[in-house]
Amino acid sequence: MTSANYSGPLTTTGAARSGDGAARSSHGAARSSHGAAQGGRDDSLARLTLKLDAAVTGPNGLAYLALAQFLDSFLGLDAALLYPVGAFLLLYAAAVQFTATRPRVARPALAAIITANLLWTVLSLTLAATDALSATTAGTVWVVLQGLVVAGFAGVQWVALGRLRHTGSGSAG
């Protein structure tokens, strides 16, 4: 991006064109930081929350698969339910990790993950409130806590999505 085709706050000033080294240096530094925000975007919060989400979701899914019979008796959640949920969680964790490790965190992918997390939260809390799973007390507490953790991920991911909107190229700001 050159000053010839860009007339924003980082356009080269007359002082810089006339040879004032201090003005030129400060504009160069500002342009560099602006370029980092435009090109690389500040997606560190998005990456962090996505990686944490995957790091929690993957082992949870693995536990559902490996310990379904034990969890059936302890939580009162039927093993026939835990197997497909565990498989789903492993695949979901892989997709979330994949999104976190792309060169740029895609806003549509992050929005989809937020939506899925919110749906999981609503479903978890609804199932717990209606006792639809006939879970033990420990199982009901587990479902509620899991829903709240997922809601926390969705909330921080929502903040990260807002940051991507404000710093991403082509955003309306």
Side-chain angles (χ1 to χ4, degrees):
M1 187 179 325
T2 64
S3 61
N5 62 9
Y6 178 72
S7 61
L10 301 176
T11 303
T12 305
T13 64
R17 278 192 297 268
S18 67
D20 181 352
R24 186 175 300 124
S25 296
S26 67
H27 277 294
R31 184 171 288 123
S32 295
S33 67
H34 181 69
Q38 284 287 8
R41 301 187 307 169
D42 182 19
D43 58 3
S44 58
L45 180 62
R47 287 183 191 285
L48 175 64
T49 59
L50 289 169
K51 288 177 180 179
L52 287 173
D53 191 343
V56 169
T57 303
N60 193 32
L62 188 59
Y64 283 5
L65 290 172
L67 304 172
Q69 295 302 320
F70 169 74
L71 293 173
D72 183 340
S73 62
F74 180 67
L75 300 176
L77 302 173
D78 191 7
L81 171 69
L82 293 175
Y83 287 121
V85 169
F88 167 77
L89 290 176
L90 280 178
L91 293 173
Y92 182 74
V96 171
Q97 181 67 24
F98 179 81
T99 301
T101 58
R102 299 302 85 208
R104 291 175 55 131
V105 174
R107 287 182 273 189
L110 182 56
I113 290 166
I114 293 167
T115 301
N117 282 344
L118 290 174
L119 289 172
W120 182 274
T121 298
V122 169
L123 181 61
S124 295
L125 297 178
T126 300
L127 290 172
T130 61
D131 197 29
L133 298 174
S134 300
T136 64
T137 300
T140 301
V141 169
W142 174 252
V143 170
V144 169
L145 289 177
Q146 187 180 53
L148 294 175
V149 167
V150 172
F153 283 133
V156 179
Q157 289 162 348
W158 178 259
V159 170
L161 180 64
R163 288 184 182 181
L164 289 181
R165 285 188 177 134
H166 292 300
T167 60
S169 59
S171 67

PDB file of all heavy atoms in Angstrom, residues 110-126:
ATOM      1  N   LEU A 110     -14.995 -18.914  12.787  1.00  0.00           N
ATOM      2  CA  LEU A 110     -15.119 -18.559  14.195  1.00  0.00           C
ATOM      3  C   LEU A 110     -16.578 -18.337  14.568  1.00  0.00           C
ATOM      4  O   LEU A 110     -17.030 -18.791  15.617  1.00  0.00           O
ATOM      5  CB  LEU A 110     -14.277 -17.314  14.508  1.00  0.00           C
ATOM      6  CG  LEU A 110     -14.266 -16.843  15.967  1.00  0.00           C
ATOM      7  CD1 LEU A 110     -13.819 -17.954  16.918  1.00  0.00           C
ATOM      8  CD2 LEU A 110     -13.368 -15.620  16.113  1.00  0.00           C
ATOM      9  N   ALA A 111     -17.333 -17.687  13.701  1.00  0.00           N
ATOM     10  CA  ALA A 111     -18.758 -17.469  13.963  1.00  0.00           C
ATOM     11  C   ALA A 111     -19.507 -18.800  14.038  1.00  0.00           C
ATOM     12  O   ALA A 111     -20.394 -18.975  14.886  1.00  0.00           O
ATOM     13  CB  ALA A 111     -19.360 -16.574  12.885  1.00  0.00           C
ATOM     14  N   ALA A 112     -19.150 -19.742  13.184  1.00  0.00           N
ATOM     15  CA  ALA A 112     -19.790 -21.064  13.217  1.00  0.00           C
ATOM     16  C   ALA A 112     -19.469 -21.800  14.518  1.00  0.00           C
ATOM     17  O   ALA A 112     -20.343 -22.462  15.100  1.00  0.00           O
ATOM     18  CB  ALA A 112     -19.355 -21.891  12.004  1.00  0.00           C
ATOM     19  N   ILE A 113     -18.244 -21.681  14.980  1.00  0.00           N
ATOM     20  CA  ILE A 113     -17.842 -22.321  16.242  1.00  0.00           C
ATOM     21  C   ILE A 113     -18.591 -21.685  17.413  1.00  0.00           C
ATOM     22  O   ILE A 113     -19.066 -22.387  18.308  1.00  0.00           O
ATOM     23  CB  ILE A 113     -16.312 -22.253  16.408  1.00  0.00           C
ATOM     24  CG1 ILE A 113     -15.654 -23.184  15.389  1.00  0.00           C
ATOM     25  CG2 ILE A 113     -15.889 -22.595  17.834  1.00  0.00           C
ATOM     26  CD1 ILE A 113     -14.169 -22.985  15.211  1.00  0.00           C
ATOM     27  N   ILE A 114     -18.711 -20.381  17.398  1.00  0.00           N
ATOM     28  CA  ILE A 114     -19.471 -19.694  18.450  1.00  0.00           C
ATOM     29  C   ILE A 114     -20.914 -20.191  18.454  1.00  0.00           C
ATOM     30  O   ILE A 114     -21.481 -20.496  19.511  1.00  0.00           O
ATOM     31  CB  ILE A 114     -19.415 -18.166  18.259  1.00  0.00           C
ATOM     32  CG1 ILE A 114     -17.993 -17.656  18.476  1.00  0.00           C
ATOM     33  CG2 ILE A 114     -20.406 -17.459  19.187  1.00  0.00           C
ATOM     34  CD1 ILE A 114     -17.762 -16.224  18.000  1.00  0.00           C
ATOM     35  N   THR A 115     -21.509 -20.280  17.281  1.00  0.00           N
ATOM     36  CA  THR A 115     -22.896 -20.752  17.171  1.00  0.00           C
ATOM     37  C   THR A 115     -23.029 -22.170  17.702  1.00  0.00           C
ATOM     38  O   THR A 115     -23.954 -22.471  18.463  1.00  0.00           O
ATOM     39  CB  THR A 115     -23.368 -20.674  15.703  1.00  0.00           C
ATOM     40  OG1 THR A 115     -23.269 -19.308  15.262  1.00  0.00           O
ATOM     41  CG2 THR A 115     -24.797 -21.163  15.554  1.00  0.00           C
ATOM     42  N   ALA A 116     -22.109 -23.041  17.312  1.00  0.00           N
ATOM     43  CA  ALA A 116     -22.150 -24.427  17.800  1.00  0.00           C
ATOM     44  C   ALA A 116     -21.999 -24.470  19.318  1.00  0.00           C
ATOM     45  O   ALA A 116     -22.703 -25.235  19.997  1.00  0.00           O
ATOM     46  CB  ALA A 116     -21.052 -25.256  17.122  1.00  0.00           C
ATOM     47  N   ASN A 117     -21.103 -23.655  19.853  1.00  0.00           N
ATOM     48  CA  ASN A 117     -20.910 -23.625  21.303  1.00  0.00           C
ATOM     49  C   ASN A 117     -22.158 -23.120  22.022  1.00  0.00           C
ATOM     50  O   ASN A 117     -22.532 -23.636  23.078  1.00  0.00           O
ATOM     51  CB  ASN A 117     -19.692 -22.781  21.670  1.00  0.00           C
ATOM     52  CG  ASN A 117     -18.386 -23.524  21.442  1.00  0.00           C
ATOM     53  OD1 ASN A 117     -18.362 -24.741  21.299  1.00  0.00           O
ATOM     54  ND2 ASN A 117     -17.297 -22.790  21.405  1.00  0.00           N
ATOM     55  N   LEU A 118     -22.812 -22.119  21.459  1.00  0.00           N
ATOM     56  CA  LEU A 118     -24.045 -21.616  22.067  1.00  0.00           C
ATOM     57  C   LEU A 118     -25.156 -22.663  22.003  1.00  0.00           C
ATOM     58  O   LEU A 118     -25.918 -22.833  22.967  1.00  0.00           O
ATOM     59  CB  LEU A 118     -24.478 -20.312  21.402  1.00  0.00           C
ATOM     60  CG  LEU A 118     -23.580 -19.105  21.696  1.00  0.00           C
ATOM     61  CD1 LEU A 118     -24.011 -17.903  20.865  1.00  0.00           C
ATOM     62  CD2 LEU A 118     -23.576 -18.769  23.174  1.00  0.00           C
ATOM     63  N   LEU A 119     -25.257 -23.364  20.882  1.00  0.00           N
ATOM     64  CA  LEU A 119     -26.257 -24.434  20.769  1.00  0.00           C
ATOM     65  C   LEU A 119     -25.986 -25.545  21.779  1.00  0.00           C
ATOM     66  O   LEU A 119     -26.916 -26.069  22.410  1.00  0.00           O
ATOM     67  CB  LEU A 119     -26.287 -24.991  19.343  1.00  0.00           C
ATOM     68  CG  LEU A 119     -26.872 -24.065  18.287  1.00  0.00           C
ATOM     69  CD1 LEU A 119     -26.658 -24.650  16.887  1.00  0.00           C
ATOM     70  CD2 LEU A 119     -28.352 -23.824  18.551  1.00  0.00           C
ATOM     71  N   TRP A 120     -24.710 -25.904  21.944  1.00  0.00           N
ATOM     72  CA  TRP A 120     -24.334 -26.930  22.926  1.00  0.00           C
ATOM     73  C   TRP A 120     -24.746 -26.484  24.325  1.00  0.00           C
ATOM     74  O   TRP A 120     -25.265 -27.267  25.114  1.00  0.00           O
ATOM     75  CB  TRP A 120     -22.831 -27.199  22.856  1.00  0.00           C
ATOM     76  CG  TRP A 120     -22.376 -28.271  23.799  1.00  0.00           C
ATOM     77  CD1 TRP A 120     -22.031 -28.130  25.114  1.00  0.00           C
ATOM     78  CD2 TRP A 120     -22.250 -29.662  23.515  1.00  0.00           C
ATOM     79  NE1 TRP A 120     -21.680 -29.339  25.649  1.00  0.00           N
ATOM     80  CE2 TRP A 120     -21.808 -30.299  24.686  1.00  0.00           C
ATOM     81  CE3 TRP A 120     -22.448 -30.421  22.371  1.00  0.00           C
ATOM     82  CZ2 TRP A 120     -21.573 -31.660  24.756  1.00  0.00           C
ATOM     83  CZ3 TRP A 120     -22.207 -31.782  22.434  1.00  0.00           C
ATOM     84  CH2 TRP A 120     -21.780 -32.394  23.618  1.00  0.00           C
ATOM     85  N   THR A 121     -24.503 -25.210  24.618  1.00  0.00           N
ATOM     86  CA  THR A 121     -24.853 -24.670  25.933  1.00  0.00           C
ATOM     87  C   THR A 121     -26.355 -24.749  26.180  1.00  0.00           C
ATOM     88  O   THR A 121     -26.794 -25.241  27.230  1.00  0.00           O
ATOM     89  CB  THR A 121     -24.381 -23.203  26.054  1.00  0.00           C
ATOM     90  OG1 THR A 121     -22.960 -23.180  25.921  1.00  0.00           O
ATOM     91  CG2 THR A 121     -24.785 -22.592  27.380  1.00  0.00           C
ATOM     92  N   VAL A 122     -27.132 -24.282  25.224  1.00  0.00           N
ATOM     93  CA  VAL A 122     -28.593 -24.300  25.369  1.00  0.00           C
ATOM     94  C   VAL A 122     -29.092 -25.739  25.513  1.00  0.00           C
ATOM     95  O   VAL A 122     -29.925 -26.030  26.387  1.00  0.00           O
ATOM     96  CB  VAL A 122     -29.277 -23.589  24.176  1.00  0.00           C
ATOM     97  CG1 VAL A 122     -30.775 -23.822  24.165  1.00  0.00           C
ATOM     98  CG2 VAL A 122     -28.966 -22.099  24.215  1.00  0.00           C
ATOM     99  N   LEU A 123     -28.579 -26.630  24.694  1.00  0.00           N
ATOM    100  CA  LEU A 123     -28.989 -28.031  24.764  1.00  0.00           C
ATOM    101  C   LEU A 123     -28.615 -28.634  26.117  1.00  0.00           C
ATOM    102  O   LEU A 123     -29.437 -29.315  26.749  1.00  0.00           O
ATOM    103  CB  LEU A 123     -28.363 -28.832  23.622  1.00  0.00           C
ATOM    104  CG  LEU A 123     -28.723 -30.310  23.553  1.00  0.00           C
ATOM    105  CD1 LEU A 123     -30.227 -30.491  23.358  1.00  0.00           C
ATOM    106  CD2 LEU A 123     -27.953 -30.999  22.449  1.00  0.00           C
ATOM    107  N   SER A 124     -27.406 -28.388  26.572  1.00  0.00           N
ATOM    108  CA  SER A 124     -26.959 -28.933  27.860  1.00  0.00           C
ATOM    109  C   SER A 124     -27.833 -28.449  29.005  1.00  0.00           C
ATOM    110  O   SER A 124     -28.292 -29.251  29.839  1.00  0.00           O
ATOM    111  CB  SER A 124     -25.506 -28.533  28.145  1.00  0.00           C
ATOM    112  OG  SER A 124     -24.640 -29.110  27.212  1.00  0.00           O
ATOM    113  N   LEU A 125     -28.070 -27.151  29.053  1.00  0.00           N
ATOM    114  CA  LEU A 125     -28.859 -26.597  30.145  1.00  0.00           C
ATOM    115  C   LEU A 125     -30.323 -27.040  30.070  1.00  0.00           C
ATOM    116  O   LEU A 125     -30.945 -27.292  31.102  1.00  0.00           O
ATOM    117  CB  LEU A 125     -28.734 -25.078  30.173  1.00  0.00           C
ATOM    118  CG  LEU A 125     -27.317 -24.552  30.433  1.00  0.00           C
ATOM    119  CD1 LEU A 125     -27.279 -23.031  30.399  1.00  0.00           C
ATOM    120  CD2 LEU A 125     -26.744 -25.092  31.736  1.00  0.00           C
ATOM    121  N   THR A 126     -30.836 -27.179  28.858  1.00  0.00           N
ATOM    122  CA  THR A 126     -32.213 -27.651  28.691  1.00  0.00           C
ATOM    123  C   THR A 126     -32.340 -29.100  29.134  1.00  0.00           C
ATOM    124  O   THR A 126     -33.290 -29.462  29.846  1.00  0.00           O
ATOM    125  CB  THR A 126     -32.662 -27.501  27.220  1.00  0.00           C
ATOM    126  OG1 THR A 126     -32.579 -26.124  26.859  1.00  0.00           O
ATOM    127  CG2 THR A 126     -34.083 -28.005  27.015  1.00  0.00           C
TER     128      THR A 126
END
